[in-house]
Amino acid sequence: MVLGNRGRGVSSALFGPLARLLVRLKVSPDVVTFAGTLAVIAASLTLLPTAHLTVGALVLGVFVLTDSIDGIMARLVHGEEPRPYGEFLDSTLDRFSDGAIFAGLTLYFVGHTTGSTQTWGVATAVACLALGGLVSYARAKAQALGVVAKVGIAERADRLIVALAATLLVGLGLPVLVLVVALALLAAASLVTVGQRMVLVRRALVDGRTA
């Protein structure tokens, strides 16, 4: 996950000691990336479909917060020089993590809701999964064309925070409709983000301007 300077500073302060310990133990940043992804997939596909929403949201929230440890480790080992494979691996495995979370929510709606709640819940969760992938694809394709397309109202961190916060609230006793509405808004925001990136790329490549 790409962090701004302030976010990177906070992350380093919180997780720097653990990252330094792992580096001293000769643990590879790529191993940490794989391990974190597997943990998210396991938690998403066991806790969410079985309606353990509170525990699931909290566990996944911890994994989201610690997602930057591999990046801190890479900087400790390699400095600030680019690590193309590490960035590729992190971005690719993020898609697995995101897919598992929204797949877990889809399975929750299938197994624990009925009627229109189930229909809309499944539809919005699947839409979030598909559109979240499009958001990431738009950025990656723009980067391949030499355009930095980080704009948008629904970055990956935003999407996960909204989804997990709504999941936690429902787990604590609020109506399932809260989660359905949150996912619907999230899907709409993801669609807007794709549009924003399309406009940015057009300005850069067709009109010769940047945002």
Side-chain angles (χ1 to χ4, degrees):
M1 183 182 300
V2 179
L3 298 172
N5 292 333
R6 179 177 298 179
R8 178 178 291 186
V10 172
S11 177
S12 296
L14 289 174
F15 306 117
L18 177 57
R20 286 189 288 272
L21 173 62
L22 292 172
V23 169
R24 286 198 296 272
L25 294 174
K26 307 298 184 181
V27 178
S28 166
D30 293 344
V31 170
V32 173
T33 303
F34 272 110
T37 301
L38 291 175
V40 169
I41 292 173
S44 299
L45 298 182
T46 56
L47 296 174
L48 299 181
T50 54
H52 293 89
L53 299 185
T54 302
V55 175
L58 292 175
V59 169
L60 291 169
V62 170
F63 287 134
V64 169
L65 288 174
T66 58
D67 185 52
S68 60
I69 290 177
D70 54 350
I72 299 172
M73 292 173 63
R75 289 192 294 275
L76 289 172
V77 175
H78 303 286
E80 294 295 335
E81 65 184 67
R83 248 183 105 241
Y85 177 70
E87 294 176 4
F88 165 80
L89 181 67
D90 188 54
S91 179
T92 301
L93 293 183
D94 280 348
R95 306 291 77 76
F96 281 97
S97 297
D98 296 355
I101 290 173
F102 289 107
L105 290 174
T106 300
L107 293 174
Y108 162 74
F109 284 115
V110 170
H112 299 278
T113 62
T114 58
S116 61
T117 299
Q118 182 184 81
T119 300
W120 286 104
V122 170
T124 55
V126 171
C128 285
L129 173 58
L131 291 169
L134 280 176
V135 169
S136 300
Y137 174 80
R139 176 176 172 177
K141 186 62 177 179
Q143 186 172 350
L145 295 172
V147 180
V148 177
K150 296 181 180 180
V151 300
I153 61 174
E155 291 277 6
R156 178 176 185 256
D158 304 321
R159 299 195 300 273
L160 294 182
I161 289 171
V162 170
L164 293 178
T167 300
L168 177 62
L169 291 175
V170 172
L172 292 174
L174 290 186
V176 180
L177 181 62
V178 171
L179 180 56
V180 176
V181 171
L183 293 178
L185 293 174
L186 189 55
S190 298
L191 183 60
V192 170
T193 299
V194 173
Q196 290 175 302
R197 293 183 176 184
M198 291 174 66
V199 170
L200 174 66
V201 173
R202 177 179 173 81
R203 287 175 175 172
L205 298 180
V206 179
D207 301 334
R209 296 183 289 125
T210 59

